[in-house]
Amino acid sequence: MLLRASDISKRFQKKETSVQALDHVSLELANGEFVAIHGPSGSGKTTLLLLAGGLLAPDKGEIFLNGKNPYKMMPDQRARFRAETVGFVFQQFHLIPYLTVLENVMAPSVALPMPERVERGKELLDRFAMLDRADHVSAELSTGERQRTALARALFNKPALILADEPTGNLDDENASVVLKTLSEHAAQGGGVLLVTHDPKSASLAHRTLHLRQGALVQ
């Protein structure tokens, strides 16, 4: 099993306010599977994605990626494991503003020597029709170009799992189609995809859809 979340819960505490973001959630995702988590804003979708990707530890329960629990690793080991195993695509792109497009795409590299990094980065930019923008910074890109750059970055290390958080939320139909096609192709090639979205159209492309309401999975 590529991803297994077992009875995970997460609560956020701010002064006198407490929010139960996730409440005893369990899910599994196999290689070659595209799963959508559908739910309204505030339902816990992004929290679930962060826990699944090794970025936020659960209060209770366990997460396993490729059979390993990232939260039992030392921080530097977890960061390396995450970079090698998971690709992230966010609605807000999270590109590094002072790096060029090519440098942003190469940012997840953990092992390749520089010539191979450049070759891999350019190969991905060419795939997304972005090679002519390789030396530009993110402020010089359109919204669609920023998301295509983020997609190339997510794929750089050939991750087993792609986690996508509302990746089409800011995009026009053409660029949204590029994103969803890329996610579908990743699953078809044997990778796993977990997409969180409030958009039923995006969720409809997944092999199966789970519904999250107030931090709990519901039928």
Side-chain angles (χ1 to χ4, degrees):
M1 191 61 58
L2 177 55
L3 170 66
R4 179 162 64 88
S6 179
D7 199 32
I8 58 173
S9 295
K10 185 68 180 180
R11 178 183 292 273
F12 295 105
Q13 186 77 38
K14 287 189 176 181
K15 296 183 179 179
E16 298 179 358
T17 302
S18 179
V19 176
Q20 188 71 43
L22 292 175
D23 190 14
H24 298 287
V25 171
S26 296
L27 66 88
E28 293 185 342
L29 187 151
N31 290 89
E33 194 172 18
F34 184 168
V35 175
I37 304 291
H38 181 259
S41 297
S43 61
K45 300 188 307 297
T46 297
T47 300
L48 177 57
L49 205 75
L50 295 176
L51 267 69
L55 289 170
L56 181 67
D59 296 329
K60 297 179 181 178
E62 292 184 303
I63 302 284
F64 292 91
L65 288 170
N66 268 346
K68 298 179 181 179
N69 185 337
Y71 298 107
K72 291 188 176 180
M73 300 176 182
M74 296 298 290
D76 58 335
Q77 294 175 318
R78 182 167 62 248
R80 186 179 183 90
F81 174 73
R82 185 172 57 236
E84 293 173 340
T85 309
V86 183
F88 293 93
V89 186
F90 297 101
Q91 181 177 2
Q92 300 300 329
F93 322 125
H94 295 305
L95 300 178
I96 301 171
Y98 55 82
L99 296 183
T100 66
V101 166
L102 179 58
E103 289 167 341
N104 265 287
V105 171
M106 297 190 301
S109 177
V110 294
L112 292 177
M114 182 57 73
E116 292 180 39
R117 291 174 63 194
V118 172
E119 181 180 358
R120 172 70 176 156
K122 288 185 175 180
E123 171 190 316
L124 286 164
L125 288 177
D126 189 42
R127 172 179 173 179
F128 293 109
M130 289 287 297
L131 193 53
D132 63 335
R133 308 290 270 167
D135 295 327
H136 291 252
V137 294
S138 60
E140 300 170 326
L141 305 180
S142 69
T143 299
E145 288 172 335
R146 292 178 191 181
Q147 192 59 292
R148 280 183 274 154
T149 301
L151 270 175
R153 179 186 59 192
L155 293 170
F156 187 87
N157 282 333
K158 301 179 181 179
L161 176 65
I162 289 182
L163 300 175
D165 186 3
E166 303 283 6
T168 63
N170 292 327
L171 304 183
D172 57 36
D173 288 345
E174 181 178 355
N175 281 292
S177 294
V178 170
V179 171
L180 295 172
K181 179 183 178 183
T182 300
L183 298 180
S184 295
E185 288 175 346
H186 185 73
Q189 293 165 3
V193 175
L194 183 63
L195 165 72
V196 300
T197 182
H198 66 267
D199 176 23
K201 182 179 178 181
S202 296
S204 70
L205 297 176
H207 299 147
R208 58 189 173 100
T209 300
L210 306 176
H211 300 275
L212 196 63
R213 298 289 185 275
Q214 296 181 327
L217 290 175
V218 298
Q219 296 295 324

